[in-house]
Amino acid sequence: MDLSILDFVFAGLAALAAGGVNALAGGGTLITFPVLTFLGIPAVAANVTNTVALCPGYFGGTLAQMKDLQGQKHRLWIIVPASIIGGVLGGFLLLQTGEKLFKDLVPYLILLASGLLAIQDPVRAWLIKRMGEGHGSKLEKLSWLPVGLASIYGGYFGAGLSVIVLSALGLTLEDTLTRLNALKQAVAFSVNVAAAVFFIFSGKVVWPIALVMAVGALIGGTLGGKLAGKVKPSTLRWTVVTIGVIVSIIYFVR
């Protein structure tokens, strides 16, 4: 890839924004992935590079919620292996998808991710209502199945994964939203690391830009964590949703 210094600056700033957005509201991929393709990186390579680059941000998010994972070791043993397998399988499916087919799928994937982000608040409201009414599920041992299916999507594209995982956990587990959020973060981290490790050997990672973005994502995630409570997540989320819809329309037109 013949990338200029300005391209690296642009990608780094996009990753910085994505790290902050992921920490506050989610949907950072809807910022970084389009930027990478607009810089001329082929769609599959852009998606692979994006997954590898944003991993440090997910690690930071998981560390921040370690306290809420206490006492959930038995659940982690059920869902983390499913997350890892799903992430690798999704990554494998991505690499088997030809460049042209994936490029054709991109606007639909971005539109789907924007829709998932848009329904995040209703999903949370449904979960809170369900927990409050005590509709406890006896399906905890089967939680690996919906989480595993969500993880395949996460390894393939990933934007909006948190909403799917939170819904999947709510169907099979009964707990507070805070503890489910911590599990969701652990799943997202496992999926992305599994897919990233798989992608490392694919030859598709644009390493110079991935390293710059990784630094940006880490800084953005740290800043986002410090801004929590000062920025309204719903406002930020709807901004990202709007960006996602506009970007998908641009892809449809191109």
Side-chain angles (χ1 to χ4, degrees):
M1 292 296 303
D2 186 19
L3 297 167
S4 68
I5 293 176
L6 194 59
D7 290 336
F8 282 101
V9 172
F10 195 28
L13 289 174
L16 184 77
V21 165
N22 278 337
L24 291 164
T29 294
L30 292 175
I31 297 171
T32 47
F33 175 76
V35 166
L36 290 176
T37 59
F38 290 153
L39 290 178
I41 298 174
V44 173
N47 195 32
V48 166
T49 302
N50 188 64
T51 300
V52 173
L54 295 186
C55 269
Y58 287 103
F59 176 67
T62 305
L63 274 182
Q65 298 199 47
M66 284 299 288
K67 177 171 63 80
D68 297 311
L69 285 171
Q70 289 177 6
Q72 301 199 75
K73 189 176 179 180
H74 61 295
R75 290 174 172 173
L76 291 172
W77 276 109
I78 294 172
I79 63 175
V80 167
S83 305
I84 293 170
I85 293 169
V88 171
L89 185 55
F92 174 77
L93 291 173
L94 172 66
L95 295 181
Q96 298 308 304
T97 305
E99 183 66 34
K100 185 182 182 306
L101 176 57
F102 185 69
K103 197 172 179 180
D104 290 341
L105 287 174
V106 161
Y108 297 99
L109 289 169
I110 291 177
L111 207 55
L112 171 64
S114 301
L116 289 170
L117 206 59
I119 64 169
Q120 188 164 315
D121 284 340
V123 166
R124 287 176 182 273
W126 168 75
L127 282 171
I128 292 169
K129 184 173 182 288
R130 186 176 179 279
M131 301 307 171
E133 291 175 353
H135 295 317
S137 175
K138 306 300 180 186
L139 301 173
E140 186 162 321
K141 290 182 180 178
L142 292 176
S143 56
W144 61 270
L145 181 57
V147 167
L149 292 172
S151 300
I152 294 173
Y153 167 77
Y156 190 84
F157 189 60
L161 173 65
S162 294
V163 184
I164 305 176
V165 171
L166 197 58
S167 300
L169 292 171
L171 288 172
T172 54
L173 302 176
E174 181 183 7
D175 213 324
T176 63
L177 188 56
T178 302
R179 281 165 61 85
L180 290 183
N181 260 321
L183 285 174
K184 174 206 75 180
Q185 197 66 41
V187 168
F189 174 61
S190 301
V191 170
N192 278 273
V193 168
V197 170
F198 181 72
F199 288 150
I200 283 171
F201 304 99
S202 70
K204 296 279 188 182
V205 183
V206 183
W207 282 108
I209 211 124
L211 295 173
V212 170
M213 288 177 65
V215 174
L218 193 57
I219 295 170
T222 304
L223 292 175
K226 290 182 179 179
L227 287 172
K230 297 178 182 178
V231 178
K232 198 174 179 182
S234 60
T235 303
L236 189 59
R237 186 177 304 119
W238 281 106
T239 303
V240 175
V241 168
T242 303
I243 291 170
V245 172
I246 293 170
V247 167
S248 67
I249 291 170
I250 292 170
Y251 275 106
F252 275 120
V253 171
R254 286 174 72 182

